Amino acid sequence: MNSSHRKQLIALNLCAVVTLVVALARPRQLAAQDNKHHHYKLIDLGTFGGPHSYGSVNGDGFSLLNNSGVVASYADTDLPDPNATFFCYVPDCFQAHASQWKDGVITDLGALPVNNNSAAGSINSRGWSTGQSQSATIDPVVGIPEFHAVLWKHGQIIDLGTLDSGTESLGIYVNDAGQVIGFSTINTNPDPVGFFGFPTHTFIWQNGEKLDIGTLGGANAFPGASCSNQPEDLVVGGSTTTTTVNSSTGLPDTDPFLWHKGKMIDLGTLGGTNGFAQCANHRHQVIGMSSLAANPAACDFPVFNSGGPGCHAFFWEDGVIKDLGTLGGDNSEAIWLNEAGDVVGSADLAGPTGNQTHDAVLWRNGKIHDLGTLPGDPCSRGRGLNSRGQLVGGSSDCRNFLHAFVWEEGGPMLDLNTLIAPGSGFQLTNAFNINDRGEILAKAAPLGFTPNDDADLGHLVLLVPCERDEEEGCEDSAETTSPAAPRGSALVNGTTPQGHLTPMENAAAWRTQTMRRYHIPGLGAPKN
C-alpha cells in the first residue's frame, strides 16, 4: 500500500469515527434541548359578556385559526338562551354567537333573525367563516328552531339554505377558493343514518349555487374535515353504499369517499362495513378511519373511535388503502394531515379490551411514532399539525383533557403550561390548531376548575411565540418543562367505550354520535 492509499484509508476511518461520535452524542443533544423551547404570550380571546367561549363546533380536524392569526369560533353572550324552553344551545344556557378574533378585537358575527344562536366552525385564509345558525322556522318534525348553514363574509351573514325539500343544513368548512362544504337533509322520509333521522347529502356552495355531490348508492353522504386547507373541487367523507340495513350492524354499510370534480370514488375499507374519510391534501392523499373484518360495526360513522375494538386509522393514495395500525391496542384515529403526508392522531396501547390507554401519535412515511403523555396523565391525543411538522394536542385522564402540549421534531412532548408566563390564572387543557407561524389555538380553564370536555367550558386562548423573553407577557415560567412520560402498563377505567353492540344499540349509537359531532345541543361532544 503506497502512502497516498494509506492517507485515504486514515481519512475514511477518521470520518467513520466522527460520524459514530456524532450519532452517539445526538440523544444527549436532544435531551439538552428539552428546556430550550421558546415561550409563548397568552392572549385570552374573551367572550361577548358570558362566561365561556368554545372550541370546534364540528369536532376534530377543522381550522379555526388561519395563517394570519385570525380565529373563528363562538362564545357566550350575557343574555339567556331565548330557546331554553326547548333546549339550551350551550350547557350554561346563555345565548351563544359566532365570533371572529383579529388583532386583539373579538367581533360578534351575529345569527339569522330572530334572536338566535350561532357558531362558526371553520375559517379560510381570506377570513371567511362558515358554520351554523338557528333560524326563525320551527322544524315541524323535531319541534326546535331549524339549523341552517351560513357563511360570514366581509361582515355579512349569508343563509345558504338547504337542498331541495330539506329542512336542516350545516356549513362544515370553507376553503380558500370560497367554496363552502356542508350538508343538508333532503326530504322528510325517515332514515336511521341521516341528520335528525332524515336522508342527508353533502353539498358544495359557491357564489350562491349549491351542488349536491350525491352518494355511493345509499341515502346519505357526510363530509369530512378541512384540516389545513381542503383543495378546491375536492371533498372527502363517508357515504352509505346501500339503503339495505346490514343485519349484523343494524346500519347500512358505509364507505369513505373522495369526490373530485364531479366524480365520487369509493375508497373501500379495511375489511369492515364502516369507514369515513377525514381529510385530504393537495396531493390527493386521504386519511380516515375504517372498521376491520373482525368487528365490522366498529367506527360509528361519522364519529371515530367508538362502537368497539377494531376501528383503525387509514392512509389512502393512488387507489391503495393502508392500515396505519395501533400501538398494540384495539383502535387508532387519524385527525390531521399536512401537505407532506404527515398524519397526527392517537392510538391504543395493549391491554384488556375495554380498558386501554391511548397515546398521541405521528405517522410519517407509514411508520407510527409514539409521542407519549405528560407526567401523571395516562392518555393523550394529537389534534393539530402545521406544514413545519409541529403538532399540538392534549394530555388527559382518558376522559377529559388536562394539559395542552406541543411537540416538534426531536421531541419530547412539552406541557404548554410550562411555556407561558406565570400568573395567567388559567390551566391550558388542550390545543387543537397550530398555524404555520407557530401560533397555537388552545382551550383554557380557570385554575381550580375541573375540566369537562363534554360541556367544552372555559376560554379560548391564542399562544403567540415570543421573539424575546423580555416582551410583555413573555416572562419565563417559573416551572421547568417536563418531557413526555414513559409508557407503562397502567390502565384507567372508563376510557373508550368497547365491546360489541347489538344492531339496535349500534343504530342508536350512530344517531347519537352524529348529533354529538355536529353539536346538536344537549348531546355533548366526543370523548377524549
Side-chain angles (χ1 to χ4, degrees):
M1 180 183 298
N2 60 35
S3 59
S4 176
H5 288 162
R6 281 197 297 271
K7 289 179 180 178
Q8 290 177 357
L9 182 59
I10 291 170
L12 288 172
N13 287 336
L14 284 172
C15 182
V17 170
V18 170
T19 300
L20 178 60
V21 169
V22 170
L24 291 173
R26 190 179 179 204
R28 289 191 176 185
Q29 292 170 350
L30 291 176
Q33 293 170 2
D34 291 354
N35 296 323
K36 299 298 183 182
H37 197 282
H38 49 252
H39 288 71
Y40 295 89
K41 179 179 180 179
L42 183 150
I43 303 172
D44 181 356
L45 303 191
T47 72
F48 300 124
H52 301 293
S53 53
Y54 301 93
S56 175
V57 72
N58 290 327
D60 284 319
F62 291 88
S63 179
L64 303 179
L65 167 67
N66 67 17
N67 284 330
S68 298
V70 183
V71 177
S73 191
Y74 62 118
D76 287 344
T77 70
D78 59 358
L79 301 173
D81 190 332
N83 301 307
T85 54
F86 298 100
F87 59 81
C88 290
Y89 188 75
V90 290
D92 60 20
C93 287
F94 281 85
Q95 187 177 54
H97 274 186
S99 63
Q100 182 179 94
W101 183 94
K102 181 180 180 181
D103 297 332
V105 177
I106 186 171
T107 300
D108 187 338
L109 296 179
L112 296 174
V114 178
N115 197 26
N116 288 303
N117 294 281
S118 63
S122 165
I123 191 170
N124 68 8
S125 65
R126 301 155 76 175
W128 300 8
S129 302
T130 191
Q132 56 181 262
S133 174
Q134 295 170 328
S135 71
T137 304
I138 301 297
D139 187 295
V141 177
V142 294
I144 63 175
E146 292 178 353
F147 288 84
H148 276 198
V150 291
L151 172 68
W152 290 277
K153 173 184 173 184
H154 305 315
Q156 301 295 316
I157 185 172
I158 302 171
D159 186 347
L160 306 189
T162 66
L163 293 172
D164 292 342
S165 70
T167 58
E168 311 278 351
S169 64
L170 295 182
I172 304 303
Y173 65 87
V174 55
N175 62 26
D176 284 349
Q179 296 175 326
V180 176
I181 313 304
F183 63 78
S184 167
T185 56
I186 59 171
N187 58 53
T188 56
N189 297 319
D191 182 272
V193 177
F195 193 56
F196 277 121
F198 299 105
T200 304
H201 283 195
T202 294
F203 65 77
I204 299 176
W205 178 98
Q206 188 170 28
N207 299 324
E209 300 291 334
K210 287 193 296 294
L211 172 67
D212 183 340
I213 70 170
T215 74
L216 291 173
N220 299 277
F222 285 87
S226 60
C227 291
S228 299
N229 176 39
Q230 200 86 354
E232 182 178 3
D233 292 327
L234 187 148
V235 182
V236 299
S239 171
T240 50
T241 60
T242 177
T243 56
T244 302
V245 172
N246 187 316
S247 60
S248 67
T249 66
L251 298 165
D253 293 350
T254 304
D255 280 6
F257 69 79
L258 167 66
W259 182 96
H260 181 53
K261 294 184 176 180
K263 182 179 181 181
M264 183 177 283
I265 303 170
D266 188 334
L267 305 186
T269 70
L270 298 174
T273 59
N274 281 344
F276 190 83
Q278 171 76 339
C279 57
N281 60 21
H282 286 75
R283 298 159 65 182
H284 293 192
Q285 296 170 323
V286 182
I287 61 169
M289 304 280 291
S290 171
S291 60
L292 309 180
N295 183 9
C299 294
D300 281 342
F301 157 77
V303 177
F304 305 144
N305 236 11
S306 58
C311 185
H312 282 201
F314 71 75
F315 186 94
W316 182 95
E317 185 175 21
D318 296 332
V320 178
I321 188 170
K322 179 180 179 180
D323 187 341
L324 290 177
T326 73
L327 294 172
D330 290 332
N331 298 310
S332 59
E333 59 178 349
I335 291 178
W336 203 284
L337 170 71
N338 68 11
E339 290 301 316
D342 294 337
V343 183
V344 67
S346 69
D348 288 353
L349 284 82
T353 292
N355 202 17
Q356 293 177 352
T357 55
H358 51 268
D359 279 5
V361 294
L362 172 69
W363 286 278
R364 178 169 289 164
N365 299 323
K367 294 182 179 180
I368 189 170
H369 301 272
D370 185 355
L371 305 185
T373 70
L374 293 173
D377 296 337
C379 289
S380 64
R381 293 177 71 212
R383 304 190 74 193
L385 180 67
N386 66 13
S387 64
R388 296 155 59 185
Q390 297 173 306
L391 66 89
V392 294
S395 190
S396 76
D397 62 3
C398 303
R399 294 189 66 84
N400 295 302
F401 287 120
L402 303 175
H403 303 97
F405 74 78
V406 62
W407 181 96
E408 56 187 332
E409 194 64 42
M413 178 187 292
L414 298 176
D415 187 341
L416 281 167
N417 291 282
T418 68
L419 300 175
I420 60 173
S424 71
F426 285 116
Q427 171 77 19
L428 304 178
T429 57
N430 72 89
F432 35 87
N433 280 178
I434 180 167
N435 66 16
D436 290 344
R437 303 197 305 195
E439 297 166 334
I440 298 170
L441 185 62
K443 202 65 189 285
L447 292 178
F449 178 84
T450 301
N452 180 354
D453 296 316
D454 280 348
D456 193 23
L457 303 179
H459 277 205
L460 278 181
V461 296
L462 184 67
L463 305 181
V464 180
C466 295
E467 294 183 4
R468 301 180 306 275
D469 283 346
E470 63 268 21
E471 291 179 4
E472 184 179 354
C474 285
E475 298 86 357
D476 197 352
S477 171
E479 302 178 61
T480 58
T481 59
S482 301
R487 297 308 305 172
S489 59
L491 299 174
V492 174
N493 291 321
T495 59
T496 303
Q498 306 284 357
H500 293 271
L501 302 178
T502 67
M504 185 176 295
E505 290 171 335
N506 197 58
W510 182 320
R511 289 190 292 272
T512 299
Q513 295 288 0
T514 301
M515 297 303 181
R516 282 181 173 176
R517 176 176 175 90
Y518 300 114
H519 186 76
I520 302 307
L523 292 178
K527 299 296 183 186
N528 299 305

